[in-house]
Amino acid sequence: MDAQGRGRAEDIDPADQWVLNPETGDYELRLPPSAPQSPIPAPRRGSPAPAPEVPAPRRRRAAPEEPPPGRRGRRRPAKKKSRGKKILLWTTGTMAFVVLAVGAAGYLYLQHLNDNIESLPDDGASTGGFQKDQAINILLIGTDKRTGSGNDGYGDKGSAGHADTTILLHVAKDRSNATALSIPRDLIVDVPDCPTTQEDGSTKVIPGSSGVRFNTSLGQSGRTPSCTMRTVTELTGVTPDNFMVADFNAVKTLTSAVGGVEVCLAKDIDDPDSHLKLPAGKHTVEGEQALAFVRTRHSVGFGGDLSRIEIQQQFLGSLMRKLKSNDTLTSPTKMVKLAEAGTEALTVDAKLKSIGKLKDLGLELGKLDTKNLTFATVPVKDNPAEKTPVTVVLKDGAAQQVFDMVKNDVSFTEVKEKEKEKKEKEDAAVAARLEGEKSEPSEIRVRVLNGGASSGSAGRELTYLQNEAGVTKSENAGNAPADIAKTTLEYAPDQADQARALAEILGLSGAAMKPGESVTNAQGLPAMTLTLGKDFKGAGVKLDATSAQAPEDLQKSTADKVECAK
């Protein structure tokens, strides 16, 4: 078979042609002179393409007998591989560096990988793409669509591909921690109207639905991943930066590419529905067996979708550990196979459709330590409207706690001590803004603007401040020039005592206080500016979320451990 597992039997796998050059310490991709001479691969959708022609390596000139004056005659030391740029998810980032290292052949192979990537429009449902200096939110969607050979026995026959496995991956702004939040497919939600790009380039608004299962946000009525994005934003208050969609083949090809992942079962399982048959204990699964593992549900836990979520989280944690292992990162053969598998198996939004963007995302994700990656599930309860519950609804208080933690970039785990100390110092400096003398409420002069809260919020907050909080020198300044995510209070240095007093009334954190300049109010006097953000919960409701904690009964685990499915 050729490099990607198909083609003529006599072809040689390019991944086996990576040769270590003892003079440079680098791997070089070399093919024999008789290799096929196609300059650019011609990939077909659904299967990887043959490897490109690689020019025969040029012979190095013999080294001079005497070293040049002023230089010591010595062999160049082998380059050490950097461990700082390991990837966490699909490894296309590291692969970009590998193929670039082999010159012209690498360029052609990079083009081939770009051609492998399928994409769909985000239809304006995303933030416009992740940013390196901001927190990252990636929506990962696994569908039940039966595509590709060997999948006839899986999924719902004729399914358009629903959002059966959905994870909102939140990566902290400082990259010290991350949360993978699973959204149950049977959760009752409101799917909003979804402007959706059609095949002819036109846009059609697919009507929304109230009180339906979350998984119908994809596939149903022609909905695309952009509609799932909008549904997640409506549900959690978090707008995803990008999406990635995988079908059954992704599990099979990715696990085979890394040589299998370790999983654990607390009891024997023989599930005729998922085709999983394994005794209790630890196992290494790949391909069809890996797919059977992530699809099983009737034989674990309570036999429902929530039990399957737990087993999928265990599997993903194990896959991430394997992707970050030296065994994977130092194997050119595995890296080539992963690049092929990753780019073939995933459909991404149009803003991620390049190896360059995937590489950048991979490098950001690679900064994480798996022990600080928390898997959690949206808190839910049985649907009280059903006599025999088959769907679930939000557990309101607990669910909102979890959503707020993600929105406000609060970690679900303790981060490394060094990172923790750095964060504590930064937090202490910010918290110091709250320390000191405080003015009387009647002395506070503030203008209130609406910068992203619901319509009328500035007026309602003003009424609360004047009638209940005693901040009589306050006024409504209308809408802010642009929407903001979090409420802020800007003040001049000589207004610090007023700012501290208002922060105490509103429950603002030090991070929400922005030292700056004062503005002139309607009476021509200097005033502070309070801008209500999307985090505004209502007039008189405290805003501080920096001390938020996960609900005590939240089901969660971390990616650095193997936990046996029960």
Side-chain angles (χ1 to χ4, degrees):
M1 301 294 283
D2 65 11
Q4 289 74 46
R6 66 178 190 288
R8 297 180 304 172
E10 66 269 25
D11 288 346
I12 300 174
D13 186 342
D16 296 330
Q17 298 298 305
W18 291 78
V19 179
L20 179 66
N21 186 327
E23 294 187 14
T24 66
D26 291 333
Y27 285 94
E28 297 180 356
L29 181 61
R30 301 179 182 174
L31 295 178
S34 59
Q37 302 300 308
S38 172
I40 299 178
R44 293 180 299 157
R45 176 49 42 205
S47 58
E53 171 193 354
V54 179
R58 305 170 77 177
R59 292 184 176 276
R60 294 180 177 272
R61 295 181 180 179
E65 294 183 4
E66 296 293 333
R71 294 187 180 181
R72 297 173 58 191
R74 59 186 177 86
R75 179 175 295 181
R76 290 172 58 191
K79 297 179 181 178
K80 293 183 179 180
K81 296 186 180 296
S82 169
R83 296 188 62 185
K85 293 184 176 179
K86 294 179 180 178
I87 66 129
L88 178 61
L89 204 52
W90 305 119
T91 75
T92 48
T94 303
M95 189 58 218
F97 287 112
V98 174
V99 295
L100 285 173
V102 299
Y107 172 77
L108 293 177
Y109 191 62
L110 198 62
Q111 291 300 109
H112 160 60
L113 292 178
N114 273 324
D115 291 340
N116 279 353
I117 303 170
E118 280 194 358
S119 69
L120 290 170
D122 69 358
D123 297 315
S126 76
T127 61
F130 76 92
Q131 301 293 323
K132 292 182 181 180
D133 59 348
Q134 298 295 324
I136 297 174
N137 293 294
I138 305 295
L139 190 63
L140 308 175
I141 306 171
T143 78
D144 60 354
K145 190 171 184 178
R146 302 192 322 184
T147 57
S149 60
N151 291 325
D152 292 341
Y154 301 117
D156 297 328
K157 187 173 182 179
S159 171
H162 296 115
D164 267 21
T165 298
T166 304
I167 295 175
L168 179 61
L169 176 64
H170 171 81
V171 185
K173 182 178 180 179
D174 64 3
R175 307 298 185 253
S176 65
N177 65 89
T179 303
L181 184 63
S182 293
I183 302 174
R185 69 172 191 177
D186 296 327
L187 174 63
I188 296 299
V189 298
D190 293 336
V191 177
D193 293 345
C194 298
T196 306
T197 302
Q198 305 299 297
E199 290 186 5
D200 62 1
S202 64
T203 299
K204 174 184 177 182
V205 177
I206 300 175
S209 304
S210 299
V212 295
R213 297 188 192 211
F214 176 85
N215 69 342
T216 62
S217 65
L218 177 65
Q220 200 85 2
S221 305
R223 292 171 179 146
T224 65
S226 67
C227 194
T228 306
M229 265 189 165
R230 294 184 193 278
T231 306
V232 168
T233 302
E234 187 100 349
L235 174 70
T236 67
V238 178
T239 301
D241 299 306
N242 299 96
F243 67 71
M244 291 181 171
V245 183
D247 61 15
F248 292 147
N249 284 321
V251 175
K252 295 192 287 187
T253 57
L254 287 168
T255 53
S256 295
V258 297
V261 298
E262 184 183 32
V263 297
C264 184
L265 297 172
K267 61 182 179 181
D268 298 347
I269 287 185
D270 185 358
D271 185 351
D273 293 321
S274 70
H275 312 304
L276 180 66
K277 187 174 183 179
L278 283 175
K282 293 183 178 181
H283 306 276
T284 298
V285 296
E286 65 175 282
E288 295 285 348
Q289 195 173 48
L291 178 59
F293 182 84
V294 299
R295 291 189 67 251
T296 194
R297 59 171 172 158
H298 298 304
S299 301
V300 293
F302 295 104
D305 184 52
L306 296 179
S307 298
R308 179 163 59 181
I309 285 176
E310 292 180 30
I311 207 169
Q312 289 172 345
Q313 291 173 344
Q314 179 202 143
F315 172 84
L316 286 173
S318 185
L319 175 60
M320 291 174 184
R321 289 194 301 277
K322 190 64 176 282
L323 290 174
K324 284 178 70 74
S325 70
N326 282 336
D327 180 53
T328 298
L329 293 168
T330 60
S331 169
T333 300
K334 286 184 179 179
M335 295 307 293
V336 169
K337 289 179 179 178
L338 276 169
E340 289 292 342
T343 54
E344 281 287 341
L346 299 176
T347 298
V348 300
D349 66 90
K351 293 179 176 63
L352 272 183
K353 185 180 165 52
S354 76
I355 286 296
K357 290 298 291 183
L358 287 170
K359 175 208 71 175
D360 290 342
L361 177 59
L363 294 181
E364 294 304 309
L365 296 174
K367 297 173 183 178
L368 290 167
D369 188 325
T370 52
K371 75 178 183 181
N372 293 323
L373 168 60
T374 302
F375 288 101
T377 304
V378 173
V380 295
K381 60 184 180 181
D382 288 340
N383 189 347
E386 299 172 340
K387 185 173 291 187
T388 303
V390 293
T391 62
V392 293
V393 295
L394 288 180
K395 192 181 290 184
D396 290 328
Q400 193 58 53
Q401 278 182 265
V402 171
F403 297 154
D404 285 347
M405 289 180 72
V406 174
K407 280 191 294 186
N408 293 291
D409 204 18
V410 179
S411 176
F412 282 70
T413 59
E414 291 293 337
V415 297
K416 295 179 190 176
E417 286 303 314
K418 187 175 181 181
E419 294 165 340
K420 185 179 178 182
E421 289 176 9
K422 179 182 176 183
K423 190 172 187 304
E424 286 176 347
K425 288 181 180 179
E426 293 173 349
D427 290 346
V430 169
R433 297 172 187 169
L434 297 170
E435 299 173 1
E437 295 291 329
K438 298 182 181 67
S439 299
E440 292 296 323
S442 60
E443 298 175 358
I444 298 172
R445 286 193 297 271
V446 61
R447 299 172 75 244
V448 183
L449 286 83
N450 190 339
S454 61
S455 179
S457 291
R460 289 190 291 272
E461 183 69 352
L462 183 66
T463 299
Y464 163 76
L465 289 174
Q466 292 182 341
N467 297 339
E468 298 184 44
V471 184
T472 54
K473 297 176 182 177
S474 52
E475 62 184 51
N476 190 339
N479 292 328
D483 287 354
I484 59 173
K486 296 182 180 181
T487 298
T488 61
L489 175 62
E490 185 175 0
Y491 59 96
D494 61 354
Q495 296 172 317
D497 53 348
Q498 294 182 47
R500 286 189 286 266
L502 186 58
E504 184 176 58
I505 292 170
L506 301 179
L508 292 177
S509 66
M513 299 173 67
K514 306 295 182 185
E517 299 178 352
S518 64
V519 293
T520 302
N521 66 9
Q523 287 74 43
L525 298 172
M528 301 182 294
T529 301
L530 174 65
T531 307
L532 305 179
K534 294 178 181 178
D535 61 339
F536 181 73
K537 299 180 178 68
V541 180
K542 300 288 186 180
L543 285 161
D544 186 12
T546 57
S547 61
Q549 295 182 348
E552 292 184 3
D553 58 348
L554 179 67
Q555 180 67 42
K556 63 188 181 77
S557 61
T558 52
D560 61 323
K561 301 173 183 176
V562 176
E563 297 189 12
C564 298
K566 299 177 181 179

